[in-house]
Amino acid sequence: MAARIAFQGELGAYSHQACVETRPDFEPLPCPTFEDALVAVRSGAADLGMIAVENSTYGRVQDVYHLLPKAGLHIIQETFVRVHVNLLGVPGAVLSDITHAHGHPVILPQCGKFLSDHDIKGVTSSDNARAARDVAAGGDTSQAALASELAAKLYGLEVIAPEIEDHKLNTTRFLVMARDADHTRRAEKMVTAFMFRVRNIPAALFKAMGGFATNGVNMTKLESYMVDGVFTATQFYADIEGHPDDENVKLAMDELGYFTEMVEILGVYPADPRRS
């Protein structure tokens, strides 16, 4: 049986596109939610998971950072997917016919100017590929979907207006998750991702970050969020450049340990060339 890669969404979603571009030899496994996709990997129903974490226009995918620490999985790769938002309609429809465009709440703001300029009302859908499927099933020339060319091919729709996103560098970053960690790989630029929770002492975060500055470790991401809805309990997700075995990274992580009550490495992987 072919190896499988789980993703959140339906066939034709941008996460499906990420799977096709990154792991074309894997069978895509659509899942209703991010949690379902992670569970599929943990249970063995899938070998890998393709999880969207942030978009250059919309920002971070909030739910994911709460799920990663509890997933019991490891990040083994990152990939960046250029997101082209296309206005898809039923065969024969033209732009002047369209009154409503259906898409996920994340994608609607990404093409807000185009929709406003053409007096098209955005309609929320649970998934962009689901929107494409529903528009195809409805057969109404006034209804369109905001989705990928892959979705157009899968559901028999036509691209009425291509690449309508407001920002022409619109990109989504995905993480590839696996059951087993792999810290053996080496590349010119490595990324280490980890979670940590600071101790409840004055200036704990400032002190915890000091070791990265003094040891010349570049921190490329730092995200914070509450734990269990408690305002005083804050957890952080961080990406740094380097490998845990690098001497400067070791020193920085040791110093981090003095001011935290929890540190957990989530993944060590080569940086995607498109990161820069």
Side-chain angles (χ1 to χ4, degrees):
M1 187 175 77
R4 307 173 90 186
I5 183 167
F7 66 93
Q8 183 277 323
E10 301 197 19
L11 294 173
Y14 289 101
S15 293
H16 181 195
Q17 178 184 330
C19 294
V20 171
E21 292 182 9
T22 306
R23 298 291 172 124
D25 51 335
F26 278 60
E27 178 187 340
L29 176 64
C31 299
T33 68
F34 287 114
E35 188 167 11
D36 291 331
L38 295 170
V39 168
V41 181
R42 193 165 62 242
S43 69
D47 301 274
L48 299 175
M50 180 68 71
I51 306 297
V53 289
E54 58 190 326
N55 174 266
S56 60
T57 302
Y58 181 78
R60 70 178 181 179
V61 181
Q62 304 246 9
D63 293 346
V64 170
Y65 288 98
H66 291 274
L67 294 172
L68 287 180
K70 300 178 287 187
L73 302 175
H74 304 272
I75 305 167
I76 62 165
Q77 184 181 356
E78 68 175 354
T79 186
F80 292 77
V81 173
R82 181 68 179 81
V83 176
H84 291 302
V85 183
N86 305 284
L87 189 72
L88 309 182
V90 298
V94 295
L95 182 57
S96 58
D97 294 331
I98 305 302
T99 60
H100 294 78
H102 302 253
H104 190 274
V106 169
I107 209 172
L108 292 171
Q110 295 178 27
C111 51
K113 185 178 185 304
F114 178 91
L115 298 181
S116 176
D117 289 347
H118 293 86
D119 199 25
I120 297 173
K121 182 179 180 180
V123 181
T124 299
S125 176
S126 60
D127 182 83
N128 300 312
R130 172 67 179 270
R133 182 161 63 86
D134 289 346
V135 166
D140 186 342
T141 56
S142 71
Q143 305 299 304
L146 302 169
S148 65
E149 286 189 79
L150 178 60
K153 293 175 183 176
L154 286 172
Y155 300 112
L157 298 175
E158 293 181 351
V159 177
I160 296 175
E163 301 182 16
I164 63 171
E165 60 273 12
D166 294 342
H167 300 285
K168 296 308 174 186
L169 294 178
N170 191 24
T171 302
T172 297
R173 178 179 177 235
F174 293 84
L175 299 178
V176 180
M177 311 293 294
R179 287 185 294 278
D180 299 318
D182 182 1
H183 296 182
T184 63
R185 293 168 297 169
R186 281 290 190 165
E188 182 178 350
K189 184 177 286 188
M190 297 293 295
V191 178
T192 297
F194 58 94
M195 307 289 305
F196 67 95
R197 190 180 306 167
V198 294
R199 293 163 52 199
N200 189 19
I201 58 175
L205 180 60
F206 174 78
K207 294 173 182 175
M209 295 294 94
F212 296 97
T214 57
N215 289 288
V217 177
N218 187 29
M219 181 170 286
T220 59
K221 176 168 289 296
L222 181 64
E223 297 277 359
S224 67
Y225 52 93
M226 288 188 297
V227 180
D228 298 327
V230 179
F231 285 97
T232 55
T234 304
Q235 193 156 277
F236 295 87
Y237 170 95
D239 284 345
I240 59 172
E241 292 181 354
H243 190 285
D245 290 340
D246 295 341
E247 188 60 29
N248 62 333
V249 174
K250 281 183 181 180
L251 292 170
M253 295 298 285
D254 285 346
E255 192 162 338
L256 176 68
Y258 287 120
F259 304 104
T260 56
E261 58 186 33
M262 180 277 287
V263 178
E264 180 182 352
I265 292 181
L266 297 179
V268 180
Y269 51 93
D272 189 294
R274 292 166 290 187
R275 169 179 276 262
S276 58

